[in-house]
């Protein structure tokens, strides 16, 4: 019995020793691993520090380059601005000639194209045409000859008529009216036949001399103008009373019923005397 107890005790002691040895081995292995990790940690920390330092240095170098480039850009912009300002200050003054000042009325045969260009509705092209036509005919004899220049109509002439003058203005004489043919002789009537009752002959129209003074002529005298209807003659007299007096024959264009075509025919039969025009 005692021997068996001793055997069991020995077996138990052996088991405890084996367990202690295994625990010691495990403890030593764990300690070795921990020491190796502790020794490797400073190396990792140093590497991370070096990497961080390198990154910061690269960022700092990039910022330095950026600041340097910005300063260079600002310097170049300032130089260009200074050059532009200097060029602006040294730019030559405009040499465009000012428009020629003219005084109206203009002498039609002496005015230059530049002076004629200042007239209403007369541009550079019409001014050149006027001077060219003036040279072609040897000078204007009256202002109405401007109607012979291409591009100038009655309305344009009316606008510029009083802005022009001629030293010795002359107008063509109106063409004489054709002589009226004598009336045929009346056939003799038989003595026994009484003559038919007739109205008394109308009084003969007063003889007139053309051109008529627009400010003096009566309606009856205006009717002597070829193709002048009585109602139009009355309108001319009424318009004259309305405006008190004509200052230009072109004012006839304002009379109701007078067209530009009829005015061209009518203007040779009328005039305005110097006294009334003033």
């Amino acid at each position: 019995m005692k021997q068996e107890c001793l055997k069991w005790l020995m077996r138990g002691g052996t088991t405890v020793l084996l367990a202690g040895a295994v625990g010691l081995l495990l403890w030593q292995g764990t300690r070795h691993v921990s020491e190796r990790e502790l020794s490797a940690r400073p190396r990792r920390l140093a590497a991370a520090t070096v990497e961080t330092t390198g990154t910061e240095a690269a960022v700092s170098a990039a910022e330095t380059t950026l600041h340097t480039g910005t300063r260079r850009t600002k310097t170049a912009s300032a130089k260009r601005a200074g050059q532009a300002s200097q060029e602006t200050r040294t730019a030559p003054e405009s040499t465009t000639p000012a428009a020629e000042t003219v005084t109206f009325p203009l002498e039609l045969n002496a005015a230059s194209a530049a002076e004629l260009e200042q007239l209403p509705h007369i541009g550079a092209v019409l001014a050149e045409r006027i001077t060219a036509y003036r040279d072609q005919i040897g000078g204007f004899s009256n202002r109405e000859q401007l109607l012979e220049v291409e591009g100038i109509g009655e309305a344009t002439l009316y606008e510029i008529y009083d802005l022009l003058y001629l030293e010795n203005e002359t107008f063509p004489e109106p063409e004489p009216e054709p002589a009226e043919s004598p009336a045929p002789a009346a056939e003799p009537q038989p003595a026994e036949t009484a003559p038919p009752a007739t109205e008394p002959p109308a009084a003969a129209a007063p003889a007139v001399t053309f051109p008529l003074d627009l400010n003096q002529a009566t309606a009856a005298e205006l009717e002597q103008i070829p193709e002048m209807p009585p109602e139009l003659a009355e309108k001319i007299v009424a318009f004259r009373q309305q405006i008190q007096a004509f200052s230009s024959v072109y004012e006839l264009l304002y009379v109701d019923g007078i067209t530009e075509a009829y005015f061209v025919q009518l203007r040779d039969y009328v005039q305005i005397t110097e006294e009334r025009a003033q």
Side-chain angles (χ1 to χ4, degrees), residues 16-96:
V16 171
L17 291 174
L18 289 173
V22 171
L24 180 61
L25 290 173
L26 291 173
W27 177 75
Q28 288 180 349
T30 304
R31 183 180 178 186
H32 180 69
V33 172
S34 298
E35 289 178 353
R36 187 170 58 185
E37 289 181 356
L38 289 174
S39 61
R41 183 177 298 173
R43 290 195 296 272
R44 289 197 298 271
L45 289 174
T49 301
V50 170
E51 182 177 358
T52 303
T53 303
T55 303
E56 292 177 352
V59 171
S60 177
E63 291 179 351
T64 302
T65 303
L66 179 60
H67 291 323
T68 303
T70 303
R71 287 196 298 272
R72 290 177 179 175
T73 302
K74 290 181 177 179
T75 302
S77 299
K79 289 181 178 179
R80 287 195 296 270
Q83 292 175 356
S85 176
Q86 184 177 4
E87 291 176 357
T88 301
R89 289 195 300 269
T90 59
E93 297 182 357
S94 175
T95 58
T96 302

Side-chain angles (χ1 to χ4, degrees), residues 120-121 147 152-161 250 253 260:
H121 309 296
L147 293 171
I152 297 181
E154 297 287 347
T156 302
L157 180 60
Y158 178 76
E159 292 290 334
I160 66 175
Y161 193 86
Y250 285 90
L253 291 169
E260 290 188 6

Side-chain angles (χ1 to χ4, degrees), residues 96-278:
T96 302
E100 185 178 355
T101 303
V102 299
T103 303
F104 297 106
L106 297 174
E107 215 293 334
L108 182 56
N109 283 332
S112 64
E115 291 174 332
L116 293 172
E117 191 176 343
Q118 307 302 317
L119 293 167
H121 309 296
I122 301 296
V125 175
L126 278 180
E128 293 293 340
R129 289 179 183 174
I130 292 172
T131 55
Y133 185 72
R134 182 179 65 191
D135 296 339
Q136 178 182 350
I137 64 175
F140 291 99
S141 59
N142 58 74
R143 288 167 288 180
E144 295 177 4
Q145 285 183 289
L146 287 170
L147 293 171
E148 301 170 9
V149 178
E150 181 183 0
I152 297 181
E154 297 287 347
T156 302
L157 180 60
Y158 178 76
E159 292 290 334
I160 66 175
Y161 193 86
D162 293 331
L163 299 177
L164 300 169
Y165 76 96
L166 287 168
E167 291 292 343
N168 298 309
E169 187 171 15
T170 58
F171 293 91
E173 293 292 334
E175 297 180 0
E177 296 183 8
E180 297 182 359
S181 58
E187 296 181 359
Q189 297 292 333
E192 66 275 11
T193 304
T198 58
E199 296 180 359
V208 296
T209 302
F210 296 109
L212 294 173
D213 184 355
L214 271 179
N215 290 323
Q216 298 290 339
T218 63
E221 291 174 336
L222 291 173
E223 290 180 21
Q224 304 304 310
I225 297 175
E227 301 182 15
M228 171 67 72
E231 59 273 11
L232 186 56
E234 294 292 342
K235 288 182 179 179
I236 294 174
V237 174
F239 183 76
R240 181 181 65 196
Q241 295 173 352
Q242 179 182 353
I243 65 174
Q244 295 183 357
F246 286 99
S247 60
S248 171
V249 295
Y250 285 90
E251 289 179 340
L252 286 172
L253 291 169
Y254 291 113
V255 178
D256 185 24
I258 295 182
T259 63
E260 290 188 6
Y262 184 60
F263 173 76
V264 173
Q265 177 183 349
L266 174 64
R267 65 184 179 182
D268 293 332
Y269 295 92
V270 293
Q271 68 177 358
I272 297 175
T273 60
E274 295 291 336
E275 294 77 7
R276 299 293 296 180
Q278 293 177 358

